[in-house]
Amino acid sequence: MIFPSILASLEYHFRGWPELSLAFLCYLCIRWYLNFKNQVLANFPIVGALPYILKNFHRLHDWYTELASKVGYSYLFKGPIFGGQMIFLTCDPRNVEYILKKNFSNFPKGQKFLETLQVLGQGIISVETETWHHQRKLASKMFAAKEFRSFAAFASQKLVEDALLPTLDHVHAQASVIDLQNLFLRYAFDSSCAIILGRSPGFLSPSFPSNEFSEAMDVAREIIFNRNMMPSRWWKLLRWLGIGAERKVPGAIKAMDRYTSHYVSLMREDLQRGVEANCLLAIYMNSQEERKDALLDEDEFLKDTSLALVYAGRDTVASGLTYFFYLISKTPRVENKLLEELRLLRAIKNTKRNGCGRKHVDGVEMFDLEELRELTYLEAALYESMRLYPPSPLNLKSVLQEDVLPDGSVVRPGMQIIYSTYAMGRLKSIWGEDCLEFKPERWLDDNGHLKAEAKLKFFGFSIGPRNCIGKEMAFAQMKPAAAAMLFNFQVQVLEGQSISPKPSTVLQLKHGLKARITRRIS
Ligand code: HEM
């Protein structure tokens, strides 16, 4: 008799439990949601920081910047327990300098990152240790060659004259709207191919043709980013199953291999016929002796090297020009100062040449190489736009041995380090209270020369032994395009379009940048 009465009593006492449990669960969910909603970052049990990453994925770079101002310059993200990822994100300039320069050898790209870069073969950006040392030494010599530097400037200038200005003229005549991002991607691809491979593929032309080589590089860029955003096992499984973006990889690799083989064969024929060529491929081919310990078969080396270089230059230059015109369109004061600099220079040169400026066939004016060197306000404006919108907004490193960074953070093997140049370009502590303003003047001293100290604060081309080797080439591509376009055409970016960046390793606008182009009346 006792037993049923105990049961009855329990039933009486716990009658309200399901409701109570439900209410408690709801309370926990609401608390969690409110915390999650108002907090910028937390590492939860089991799922780590995944909810925050998913919530902010569409605005990754701005989120990092927000974290820097609200939480601090460095923080640790834990991935979900089953992926085992530990990402240390920093935008502290002392840490970044330590990682990239002072203790460079302890922070390689790392196996995980290198694996994701294998789509691009074994060129300079996808290798490490001895192979990288050798390739870097060789590349430094090639990029520094005087004949190469003048060839790079000449080839870009020619492409502006033969392809960029006629295309813009065509858009003006059609009174159509153009996507500036697409235009500059075409220009950067053609000029990179011309400078590196010796031939422009003609991707930039008024008919806006398609190009399989460039499309294959788009796939490579997308896949490298995707692979880095997930644990290695996940993307390897997707690759094995052949689903998602991984499905496109084998085709893209084949296409890139086919095109680079083709360009290598053409250049070999040219050199055998005694054609004089100063593109990088020709310079590499003519330096057989220095290449003999390249640890790669001759053709593989030439193909992978040229692919890596075209890839490194294409998206970055396109991004630099796109955001430059975006900022100019929003800042008429800077546009006017740029025009003033161009017009003054043109007037001085015309006086010296007795009124004969350098005219393109359709009355469009060009700036020669000597003039371009004198355009310091333009150069400052390009730096300034890359400060706010760095083409390479984040970079990855790994950790070899446990280390203590200058801010006191401890990093351990197995962690990945991400440093955000996007956030660093927007830190008040580096760039002052007006850090969000587009002000080329911050790069210039009282005599109108570029300030060395401003360049030292800028990480957009990276620093240390693995810094950007193509910086000078990038300016040789961007300056003539920006000068000729500004001087001859009015670029009116359409109002009301969404200006959000794609989550990617390169800063690109999700929906492009639509603009109208009209000829300026001289
Ligand atoms: C505005 C344009 C450019 C920007 C902002 C830029 C930025 C950068 C950055 C940040 C890095 C370091 C990447 C890392 O640490 O993983 C880098 C590396 C590199 N860049 Fe550029 N880049 C630009 C244009 C170019 C051009 C035109 C070339 C010419 C081919 C080039 C060739 C390279 C190469 C080969 C590396 C790898 C160097 C190495 O690993 O030793 N870049 N660039």
Side-chain angles (χ1 to χ4, degrees):
M1 287 305 281
I2 264 186
F3 195 59
S5 70
I6 291 176
L7 272 184
S9 137
L10 280 175
E11 199 185 331
Y12 173 78
H13 283 295
F14 293 99
R15 218 174 16 196
W17 266 56
E19 289 84 350
L20 271 178
S21 314
L22 196 67
F24 187 61
L25 198 69
C26 288
Y27 163 76
L28 282 183
C29 287
I30 292 169
R31 251 194 80 159
W32 181 81
Y33 172 74
L34 289 176
N35 259 346
F36 173 58
K37 205 173 134 227
N38 298 326
Q39 251 181 2
V40 271
L41 182 70
N43 286 304
F44 296 111
I46 303 171
V47 290
L50 190 66
Y52 288 98
I53 296 173
L54 294 176
K55 183 179 154 201
N56 293 290
F57 196 66
H58 65 286
R59 51 182 291 272
L60 216 50
H61 308 302
D62 285 318
W63 180 45
Y64 290 162
T65 313
E66 211 173 284
L67 285 173
S69 62
K70 291 189 183 158
V71 183
Y73 288 178
S74 306
Y75 20 82
L76 186 68
F77 286 94
K78 291 185 183 152
I81 204 160
F82 37 91
Q85 273 179 310
M86 296 279 263
I87 295 172
F88 180 77
L89 182 65
T90 187
C91 62
D92 187 323
R94 294 166 308 161
N95 287 351
V96 178
E97 191 185 4
Y98 183 78
I99 291 163
L100 297 178
K101 208 168 157 182
K102 293 192 176 148
N103 202 9
F104 168 77
S105 56
N106 196 34
F107 302 100
K109 286 195 174 186
Q111 195 50 32
K112 186 176 180 287
F113 186 23
L114 290 184
E115 266 182 353
T116 68
L117 290 167
Q118 292 310 306
V119 272
L120 296 170
Q122 298 289 306
I124 183 168
I125 54 179
S126 331
V127 287
E128 210 124 58
T129 57
E130 279 310 294
T131 325
W132 170 74
H133 265 290
H134 183 77
Q135 294 204 25
R136 176 79 192 195
K137 208 168 130 208
L138 206 55
S140 303
K141 199 168 166 207
M142 308 293 159
F143 274 81
K146 203 167 156 230
E147 71 269 31
F148 168 69
R149 285 156 62 198
S150 19
F151 174 73
F154 164 80
S156 309
Q157 185 80 344
K158 184 155 168 48
L159 202 79
V160 170
E161 188 162 7
D162 295 350
L164 182 63
L165 295 177
T167 305
L168 291 171
D169 229 5
H170 175 80
V171 176
H172 158 78
Q174 302 283 308
S176 50
V177 167
I178 189 175
D179 175 3
L180 288 181
Q181 180 162 271
N182 182 275
L183 177 90
F184 291 132
L185 190 78
R186 287 168 185 272
Y187 167 72
F189 178 63
D190 275 1
S191 57
S192 298
C193 287
I195 297 169
I196 293 158
L197 304 167
R199 285 170 167 82
S200 155
F203 192 33
L204 175 60
S205 100
S207 62
F208 291 90
S210 57
N211 184 288
E212 203 192 358
F213 187 19
S214 178
E215 280 158 18
M217 284 194 186
D218 292 338
V219 173
R221 184 191 53 225
E222 183 191 349
I223 213 73
I224 290 168
F225 180 73
N226 286 356
R227 287 179 177 183
N228 277 296
M229 290 314 289
M230 55 179 101
S232 308
R233 271 171 279 170
W234 293 14
W235 69 257
K236 285 180 184 167
L237 179 68
L238 296 177
R239 180 179 65 181
W240 185 73
L241 293 169
I243 53 175
E246 288 288 340
R247 182 174 37 89
K248 301 183 264 176
V249 175
I253 293 179
K254 271 193 200 133
M256 291 189 285
D257 188 66
R258 208 170 45 250
Y259 280 95
T260 44
S261 293
H262 176 64
Y263 285 112
V264 168
S265 312
L266 288 177
M267 187 49 66
R268 190 163 282 134
E269 280 166 31
D270 281 355
L271 295 181
Q272 277 160 3
R273 280 189 289 116
V275 174
E276 200 195 321
N278 282 321
C279 66
L280 270 183
L281 187 54
I283 301 182
Y284 269 102
M285 281 180 164
N286 286 329
S287 64
Q288 241 163 6
E289 190 49 30
E290 288 152 283
R291 272 190 294 113
K292 67 180 182 307
D293 55 339
L295 310 177
L296 274 176
D297 144 83
E298 154 115 6
D299 267 26
E300 290 305 312
F301 173 79
L302 292 171
K303 282 192 303 182
D304 287 2
T305 296
S306 34
L307 177 63
L309 296 177
V310 174
Y311 180 85
R314 183 191 80 137
D315 292 337
T316 45
V317 166
S319 164
L321 283 169
T322 306
Y323 280 97
F324 171 77
F325 276 94
Y326 166 64
L327 284 169
I328 298 288
S329 74
K330 287 206 322 176
T331 331
R333 179 190 74 81
V334 175
E335 183 177 17
N336 289 336
K337 283 199 82 169
L338 283 164
L339 283 170
E340 214 174 277
E341 180 181 53
L342 291 168
R343 286 175 182 151
L344 187 67
L345 183 71
R346 178 42 40 97
I348 295 169
K349 297 283 159 164
N350 280 357
T351 316
K352 283 190 189 157
R353 294 176 188 136
N354 297 326
C356 314
R358 190 164 166 241
K359 290 248 192 284
H360 181 258
V361 268
D362 301 316
V364 179
E365 296 214 25
M366 294 280 300
F367 290 85
D368 62 31
L369 299 179
E370 188 200 318
E371 287 173 314
L372 287 170
R373 267 192 291 275
E374 291 175 41
L375 296 170
T376 41
Y377 192 76
L378 173 64
E379 197 166 329
L382 283 165
Y383 267 116
E384 176 69 348
S385 86
M386 288 190 282
R387 173 183 73 82
L388 286 167
Y389 294 103
S392 183
L394 47 87
N395 266 300
L396 283 174
K397 296 285 167 196
S398 70
V399 185
L400 274 187
Q401 284 177 4
E402 183 168 318
D403 208 339
V404 182
L405 300 181
D407 72 348
S409 306
V410 178
V411 285
R412 299 192 171 86
M415 281 183 184
Q416 272 199 307
I417 297 182
I418 296 184
Y419 67 92
S420 166
T421 40
Y422 184 93
M424 289 169 87
R426 289 155 186 256
L427 294 181
K428 281 188 189 158
S429 59
I430 306 186
W431 299 101
E433 286 298 317
D434 60 355
C435 61
L436 295 181
E437 277 175 49
F438 178 50
K439 256 170 94 175
E441 290 75 10
R442 72 175 90 238
W443 292 83
L444 296 168
D445 63 20
D446 294 342
N447 301 318
H449 297 135
L450 276 163
K451 274 187 200 164
E453 74 203 62
K455 286 191 193 173
L456 286 177
K457 296 193 291 191
F458 178 63
F459 287 77
F461 287 101
S462 191
I463 54 165
R466 256 196 125 142
N467 69 350
C468 178
I469 209 163
K471 179 175 156 188
E472 197 179 321
M473 174 174 151
F475 277 98
Q477 291 170 282
M478 293 191 291
K479 264 182 126 179
M485 204 162 147
L486 270 167
F487 192 76
N488 296 290
F489 295 92
Q490 188 169 5
V491 179
Q492 195 194 341
V493 170
L494 299 194
E495 292 287 328
Q497 56 184 315
S498 142
I499 303 289
S500 48
K502 258 187 203 171
S504 170
T505 44
V506 180
L507 206 62
Q508 282 189 318
L509 288 157
K510 215 181 276 176
H511 308 288
L513 186 64
K514 312 281 180 318
R516 265 183 219 293
I517 307 285
T518 37
R519 275 284 281 270
R520 284 192 199 276
I521 301 155
S522 327

